[in-house]
Amino acid sequence: MAAMLIRVLTLTLLMTLVGCGDDRPDQIAKYQQLAGQRIDSLGQMLDNGQIRNATLLKQYSGILAKQQPDMAPLFNELAKDATQQGPMFTSLVRRYQELGDAKNFVDLDQQLAEAENIYQAADPSLFNDMLSDPLNVVADMSNGALARVNSISREAAALANGAEDFGAGSQLVGNPGYGSWQTGSNGMSFWAWYGMYSMFSNVMRGPIGYDRWSSRRNYSYYNDVGRYRYTSPKQARAQNKTFERTKKQFSSQGKKFDSPYAKSRSGSTSLSRQSTSTPKASSTGSSSKSGSKFRSNYSKNSNFRNSNSRTTRGVRRGK
C-alpha cells in the first residue's frame, strides 16, 4: 500500500513539473518581438520630431554651433543623439540584434532580463528622459542662455551631492555610448572619450580618474536612473571589472573603495513615470541565480500577448 502511494505521489509530481515547464524561451521570443516593434516606432518618432528632448537637442546644438564655431564639430556630434545615428539609439539596435543569440548570455535569466531592458529602453518616454544628459551638456555650454531639462542646475546638484564640478560634459562620463574607462601606466583607470567627443577635453578640468570620479561625481540621468536599462550585459561586465580592479588596488593599500553607483545622486526633476519606476542603477550587472525564474511585470499585458512581428524587419536590417 505504501509503495503504491509513493508511486502515485511520484507520478503526480512528474505531471506537475511537466505542466510547469520553463516558459523563459517563449518570454524571450515575445519580448524580442515587442522590442523590435518599439525600436522601429522610436526611430520613426525621432525622424518625425516627436521626441521633445531630441527636438530641443537639435535646436540647442544648432544655436551653439553657430555661436561657438570652434566647437561646432562637437555640437554636431551631440546632435546625432536626436537621430537614429546617435550612440544611444544605435546601441539599442545592436543589443536587439545580439539578443537572439543565446551564446551572448550566461543563462536564460540574463537573456530574458536583457530582452525586457531593451523593450523598456525603447519606450519613447524613457528614451526622451535619457536624452536629457546630452541636452543638458549643450545647455551647460551655453553659459545659462539655454535652459536645462529634467534636472536642476549643475551647480545646485553639485552642492546637494557634495560633488566636484568636472566641467561641461561630465554628465556623459561613465556612459559607454560616449567613451570608456582605460587603464593608465600607473594601473589606475581614467575616462577616454570616443572620437569627436574628445573635444570635451578642451572644456573639462583635466583628465577624469575613475577613483576620484567615483566618490565625487555629480548627478546624471544615465548613472543615477537609466543605467539599468541602457547598459548591455557586456558593458556592465566592463564596468564591474573596472570597479573590482580599483577596489583591489585600494584594498592593497588598506583603503576602502565604494562603487560609483553605491549611492544615487539627487538632481532629477519632472521625469516620466517610466523613469521613476526604473530599477536602481546599482543593480546593473548583478549576476543571476542559477535556476531562478524570471517573472516579467508585463507578461499579462494584452499588448504583449497579442502583438505581431510585422514591424521588426527594419530593426533586423540594422537600419
Side-chain angles (χ1 to χ4, degrees):
M1 188 71 179
M4 180 178 294
L5 180 59
I6 291 174
R7 285 196 295 271
V8 171
L9 290 175
T10 301
L11 180 60
T12 301
L13 178 60
L14 289 173
M15 292 178 66
T16 300
L17 291 174
V18 172
C20 298
D22 192 345
D23 64 348
R24 289 174 296 176
D26 182 57
Q27 293 287 308
I28 291 170
K30 289 181 179 179
Y31 265 116
Q32 185 175 20
Q33 178 179 318
L34 282 179
Q37 293 174 3
R38 268 197 171 176
I39 293 174
D40 279 346
S41 177
L42 177 61
Q44 293 170 6
M45 293 179 73
L46 287 171
D47 289 344
N48 296 332
Q50 295 174 297
I51 304 296
R52 180 178 181 273
N53 284 347
T55 300
L56 287 174
L57 181 55
K58 284 183 178 179
Q59 294 174 348
Y60 280 20
S61 298
I63 292 172
L64 291 195
K66 294 179 180 179
Q67 295 179 352
Q68 303 176 34
D70 55 327
M71 297 295 286
L74 176 58
F75 293 127
N76 293 335
E77 194 69 19
L78 288 168
K80 290 182 180 179
D81 257 324
T83 72
Q84 294 190 50
Q85 285 72 51
M88 301 315 299
F89 186 86
T90 55
S91 176
L92 287 180
V93 173
R94 182 174 60 255
R95 289 168 63 190
Y96 172 82
Q97 293 169 338
E98 295 173 350
L99 182 60
D101 188 352
K103 295 178 182 178
N104 293 323
F105 307 93
V106 297
D107 54 26
L108 285 175
D109 285 325
Q110 187 185 66
Q111 187 178 9
L112 182 51
E114 172 70 345
E116 183 186 8
N117 281 337
I118 297 171
Y119 169 67
Q120 290 300 315
D123 180 280
S125 295
L126 209 65
F127 195 84
N128 181 71
D129 289 342
M130 183 67 244
L131 291 182
S132 65
D133 277 348
L135 176 57
N136 287 334
V137 165
V138 179
D140 290 343
M141 295 177 74
S142 73
N143 296 318
L146 301 173
R148 273 187 157 214
V149 299
N150 302 124
S151 174
I152 60 178
S153 71
R154 193 175 79 205
E155 294 77 15
L159 183 63
N161 296 307
E164 179 178 347
D165 188 353
F166 292 102
S170 56
Q171 299 99 310
L172 304 180
V173 174
N175 187 326
Y178 305 92
S180 63
W181 294 108
Q182 300 292 320
T183 304
S185 57
N186 61 353
M188 302 301 289
S189 298
F190 64 94
W191 184 252
W193 297 100
Y194 294 144
M196 199 62 68
Y197 302 119
S198 62
M199 291 186 71
F200 277 122
S201 300
N202 299 330
V203 294
M204 300 192 83
R205 298 177 174 92
I208 297 179
Y210 181 76
D211 55 338
R212 186 164 58 108
W213 175 82
S214 295
S215 60
R216 303 287 292 171
R217 72 174 181 83
N218 206 347
Y219 165 83
S220 75
Y221 180 86
Y222 172 80
N223 289 310
D224 294 296
V225 184
R227 194 173 77 98
Y228 185 86
R229 299 299 191 200
Y230 289 96
T231 306
S232 70
K234 182 179 180 180
Q235 291 168 340
R237 286 195 298 272
Q239 292 175 350
N240 290 339
K241 185 176 180 180
T242 300
F243 164 66
E244 292 296 340
R245 182 173 57 249
T246 307
K247 181 180 179 181
K248 184 177 180 180
Q249 289 175 326
F250 270 62
S251 180
S252 66
Q253 301 171 20
K255 300 178 182 179
K256 181 182 178 182
F257 182 78
D258 291 326
S259 166
Y261 310 108
K263 178 183 177 182
S264 293
R265 273 60 167 178
S266 60
S268 63
T269 62
S270 306
L271 293 180
S272 66
R273 176 182 57 80
Q274 290 86 337
S275 284
T276 55
S277 62
T278 295
K280 291 183 178 180
S282 59
S283 59
T284 302
S286 299
S287 59
S288 59
K289 296 181 180 179
S290 178
S292 62
K293 295 278 279 186
F294 179 96
R295 294 299 180 188
S296 165
N297 295 327
Y298 300 85
S299 60
K300 296 182 180 180
N301 184 292
S302 60
N303 291 331
F304 185 93
R305 293 197 307 268
N306 299 324
S307 62
N308 57 63
S309 59
R310 62 186 174 81
T311 61
T312 61
R313 295 174 184 172
V315 177
R316 290 189 179 123
R317 288 197 299 269
K319 285 196 174 186

